Amino acid sequence: MKAGIKNMAARWWKATLLSFLFSARLIGQQASTDQVLTLQVLEINKIGINNTAVTLIIDQASLEDGKAIPAVNEEGVLMWITNGENKKITVASNNPSPRFLIKLVALDVPNSAGVAGPEVVLSDNTTKDMVIGVSKTIGRCKVKFTASAKIGDGVGSETYIITYTITGS
């Protein structure tokens, strides 16, 4: 008897399921559905330099006027990417009152990546513009350092931390 009740219950569930599926066909099938997708693109600003440590050595002076011959390095390449608009690349040193003269300039900035600013003198620890007019671009430039000293500056060494930043203009 139990097997008969079980068999009847199974047939009843099958019949109910088939009638539901059949009635759904008669009413109409849903052939598509909608979904809301929200995509948010955030501002991306990345900057890096390939040459993270530079050493400049001044070891010669002119016999004619006694001025030290500047040390120059332009081996560093600064790279940046931004999807934002009206950006600039700034540079700053951590040294508030350097003893020797350090200058830098951006070289070979592609026209589509911004405009190189004038040579920057790192005479204090304030932020200075290096590349301006940076918008929605991937860019790169060489960084040229020039270090000089006067004979009266004497002998010594200084270590600087140079910080490059991509920021709003």
Side-chain angles (χ1 to χ4, degrees):
M1 180 96 174
K2 278 188 178 183
I5 294 175
K6 218 182 211 185
N7 195 10
M8 251 177 47
R11 278 190 259 160
W12 181 82
W13 277 109
K14 286 180 186 176
T16 304
L17 180 61
L18 285 174
S19 67
F20 173 75
L21 290 174
F22 183 70
S23 66
R25 273 194 180 181
L26 292 177
I27 295 172
Q29 289 181 320
Q30 188 166 346
S32 66
T33 188
D34 296 329
Q35 179 182 37
V36 175
L37 169 68
T38 302
L39 173 63
Q40 185 177 10
V41 178
L42 301 177
E43 188 167 275
I44 300 167
N45 296 304
K46 299 283 184 185
I47 193 165
I49 192 154
N50 71 332
N51 194 357
T52 58
V54 176
T55 300
L56 298 173
I57 298 172
I58 298 173
D59 60 358
Q60 299 178 40
S62 168
L63 289 176
E64 290 82 36
D65 57 13
K67 291 183 182 175
I69 297 173
V72 177
N73 178 298
E74 55 183 69
E75 294 174 9
V77 176
L78 185 68
M79 298 153 285
W80 61 90
I81 183 171
T82 182
N83 62 353
E85 294 186 31
N86 300 318
K87 301 292 179 185
K88 64 182 176 180
I89 296 171
T90 61
V91 62
S93 162
N94 69 325
N95 193 333
S97 56
R99 186 167 141 199
F100 307 108
L101 181 63
I102 303 286
K103 299 184 285 187
L104 67 87
V105 66
L107 301 175
D108 304 330
V109 178
N111 289 340
S112 62
V115 177
E119 187 172 56
V120 172
V121 177
L122 299 177
S123 57
D124 54 30
N125 59 354
T126 61
T127 301
K128 297 166 179 69
D129 293 350
M130 186 174 160
V131 179
I132 59 172
V134 177
S135 290
K136 298 180 192 173
T137 189
I138 298 172
R140 62 187 292 144
C141 69
K142 291 198 306 187
V143 178
K144 178 183 177 184
F145 282 100
T146 305
S148 60
K150 295 177 259 163
I151 296 300
D153 291 337
V155 176
S157 68
E158 292 181 323
T159 300
Y160 298 79
I161 296 175
I162 309 297
T163 303
Y164 303 94
T165 305
I166 186 164
T167 184
S169 50

